[in-house]
Amino acid sequence: KRNPVNGDLWLCNDGGVYRSTNNGTTWNDRSGGLIINEYYRISGTGYIDDLVLGGSQDNGHFLIDAAGDFHSVLGGDGMDNYFNSFDNSIAYACQQNGGLNKSLNYGLSFSPSSLPNGGVGSFYPWITPIVQHPPLYVPPLWIYTDIIYVYSLNGIMRSTDGVYWTNIGPAGIGQAGVGPSMAIGMDAQGSTNLYITNGSNFWVSFNPLDETPTWNQFSVPIDPNSFISAMAVNPALRTEIWITVTGYF
């Protein structure tokens, strides 16, 4: 809309409210004070109180530090994210369609990762799930301290060093429905299991670190018009999996 008094242009979208005083050449964000952020995913740490990272629709990622201050740390659409459970200075944050970024300073700034085809919708879903492989203590050392799994439409991408990536399957998992309906989860009790869903089917691998992991597929008894939207593993009982389901009207 154009202000009939001074000619300013005003634009409202799902990222906020903006004003242009030069016929749209440049725009200034005028969203201050509006509580309108829509968060897709948030994460915290087990060691640093009140350190929270959140990915928001059209407004990127925000970091809330231990003092309660907000920092805009990554642009685009903010999606899944986590702090490394072994070293909280390491954080991962996704933009739309698997645009994976990594931080080495507690989430204050991010750099693009080497994930192949990151940010491309034909390879990754809009909200791309990511999960860390739990670290393991083998005296006197900790191992598996920075292994990440990323959901792609043609199999899970795994990196053990943040540089090189391997597709560990299962092939052609795709996405059920038109909405964000994928999920990924892990347990950390002894040997580690990797659980994934494309929204309607469910897979588990009992050997996700093997060169060629094996996958077992199961159906989920939900309404055919509904989809799985999130998944979590009970940390006290590895055989207990919780899911949330879409499709309520």
Side-chain angles (χ1 to χ4, degrees), residues 2-240:
R2 185 179 293 275
N3 187 323
V5 177
N6 59 16
D8 289 354
L9 287 173
W10 288 85
L11 172 67
C12 181
N13 56 48
D14 56 1
V17 180
Y18 300 83
R19 182 181 69 180
S20 175
T21 58
N22 54 13
N23 291 315
T25 302
T26 59
W27 295 86
N28 297 309
D29 189 350
R30 307 298 293 174
S31 307
L34 296 177
I35 307 175
I36 57 174
N37 274 356
E38 174 191 353
Y39 284 95
Y40 281 121
R41 301 288 187 272
I42 61 173
S43 58
T45 80
Y47 302 101
I48 303 175
D49 290 343
D50 301 322
L51 185 65
V52 178
L53 186 62
S56 63
Q57 164 72 23
D58 266 355
N59 286 297
H61 274 82
F62 289 92
L63 177 76
I64 308 175
D65 63 23
D69 295 325
F70 277 71
H71 306 268
S72 177
V73 294
L74 186 63
D77 284 285
M79 303 298 183
D80 207 358
N81 50 76
Y82 71 75
F83 288 95
N84 183 296
S85 61
F86 178 78
D87 181 356
N88 292 165
S89 70
I90 300 173
Y92 288 93
C94 259
Q95 296 164 301
Q96 62 271 25
N97 298 120
L100 182 66
N101 298 266
K102 185 176 183 178
S103 172
L104 298 176
N105 58 1
Y106 298 93
L108 284 170
S109 63
F110 285 84
S111 299
S113 74
S114 60
L115 178 67
N117 301 302
V120 180
S122 58
F123 287 87
Y124 298 94
W126 178 246
I127 301 179
T128 298
I130 61 175
V131 70
Q132 179 187 1
H133 189 101
L136 178 65
Y137 185 59
V138 181
L141 301 173
W142 283 91
I143 60 175
Y144 309 151
T145 57
D146 192 20
I147 297 176
I148 181 173
Y149 300 95
V150 179
Y151 188 110
S152 87
L153 297 175
N154 198 41
I156 303 301
M157 300 296 293
R158 179 188 68 197
S159 178
T160 59
D161 58 10
V163 177
Y164 298 102
W165 295 84
T166 302
N167 188 320
I168 61 172
I173 51 179
Q175 171 181 355
V178 296
S181 55
M182 295 66 54
I184 187 170
M186 298 207 77
D187 74 74
Q189 301 174 32
S191 60
T192 304
N193 300 335
L194 176 62
Y195 305 92
I196 64 171
T197 176
N198 66 356
S200 58
N201 294 304
F202 181 86
W203 291 264
V204 59
S205 174
F206 301 110
N207 57 344
L209 289 180
D210 284 7
E211 182 176 352
T212 306
T214 55
W215 294 92
N216 300 278
Q217 183 176 353
F218 304 91
S219 60
V220 181
I222 59 176
D223 186 280
N225 295 314
S226 298
F227 302 102
I228 300 169
S229 58
M231 173 172 53
V233 183
N234 185 336
L237 183 61
R238 64 183 302 172
T239 58
E240 184 174 284

